[in-house]
Amino acid sequence: VPYRDTDAQIRDGFTVEAWVALNTYPWNWMPIVDQEQDRQQGLFFGIDAFGHFALDVSMNGQWQTLTSTATLPLKKWAHVAGTYRTSSRGGELRIYLDGKCVGQLPVRGEMLPARADLLIGRVRAPLLPFPEAAAKPQYPIWYSLDGILDELAIYGRALNADEIATEFARASAPAADVLPWPRMPSGPA
């Protein structure tokens, strides 16, 4: 999605939410949504190589990151959301997993939107697989989400905790695996 001047409305607060079912964890940070420029402007909402998810926002050119301690399950649906809210006292980042707040971080300054394309489910540039020092050969690679991304929504305001819990409860996501586990070839006993 190309940048538009109306995208600047996110300065006053926003929410990013999605349903994800991971087949595998990504090779390094993988965006659900990425609209950042050189980690100096914009926002990033994504998943790391261990299944943690994070919301990163540029505040006065400084990258502020809020990362979950919880990991996303493999093969099952998970509802993730990240919010940025401003007030006269400052701002706050929050992240939610399955309708519950799992992290919050106070932030100060002005949120700086990026004049960059909005990417969904793939890296902006080739990256080394994690851990970078152990990757041999040292060739950055392109990659994208290995799984399912559904019901992605971006709001021009920060939803509150009750609204996010309602969004989660409205869906009837199956509790069982939604992606199959691979079957290894087998031979005679």
Side-chain angles (χ1 to χ4, degrees):
V1 176
Y3 171 83
R4 296 182 317 272
D5 288 337
T6 56
D7 294 340
Q9 294 172 347
I10 66 173
R11 288 178 199 265
D12 297 328
F14 65 84
T15 300
V16 179
E17 72 168 336
W19 283 90
V20 294
L22 298 175
N23 197 37
T24 61
Y25 293 133
W27 291 356
N28 202 326
W29 280 102
M30 194 282 310
I32 295 170
V33 171
D34 175 0
Q35 190 174 29
E36 60 92 12
Q37 189 169 4
D38 303 323
R39 298 183 68 84
Q40 298 294 309
Q41 298 175 330
L43 67 100
F44 177 93
F45 185 57
I47 304 164
D48 75 5
F50 301 101
H52 304 104
F53 66 102
L55 176 62
D56 301 355
V57 175
S58 175
M59 302 298 293
N60 292 340
Q62 298 291 317
W63 209 237
Q64 301 292 314
T65 301
L66 175 58
T67 305
S68 68
T69 55
T71 57
L72 299 177
L74 291 176
K75 316 289 186 186
K76 298 181 185 313
W77 283 115
H79 180 260
V80 293
T83 64
Y84 164 64
R85 177 184 316 277
T86 62
S87 71
S88 58
R89 299 182 315 272
E92 182 179 57
L93 302 179
R94 286 187 177 206
I95 52 176
Y96 298 82
L97 176 60
D98 292 340
K100 296 181 180 76
C101 182
V102 294
Q104 56 190 39
L105 176 70
V107 293
R108 294 229 176 263
E110 182 181 1
M111 194 273 180
L112 300 175
R115 290 178 129 344
D117 290 343
L118 178 72
L119 297 181
I120 298 171
R122 78 166 185 90
V123 294
R124 186 167 293 278
L127 294 174
L128 286 173
F130 184 85
E132 292 91 348
K136 302 291 185 232
Q138 294 263 318
Y139 296 121
I141 56 171
W142 290 97
Y143 59 94
S144 58
L145 178 101
D146 181 11
I148 308 169
L149 178 62
D150 198 13
E151 298 293 322
L152 172 65
I154 303 172
Y155 301 88
R157 68 180 182 87
L159 298 181
N160 64 40
D162 290 338
E163 290 172 308
I164 290 175
T166 300
E167 287 292 319
F168 169 71
R170 253 186 7 186
S172 298
D177 291 350
V178 293
L179 293 167
W181 287 94
R183 294 191 60 149
M184 300 301 286
S186 60

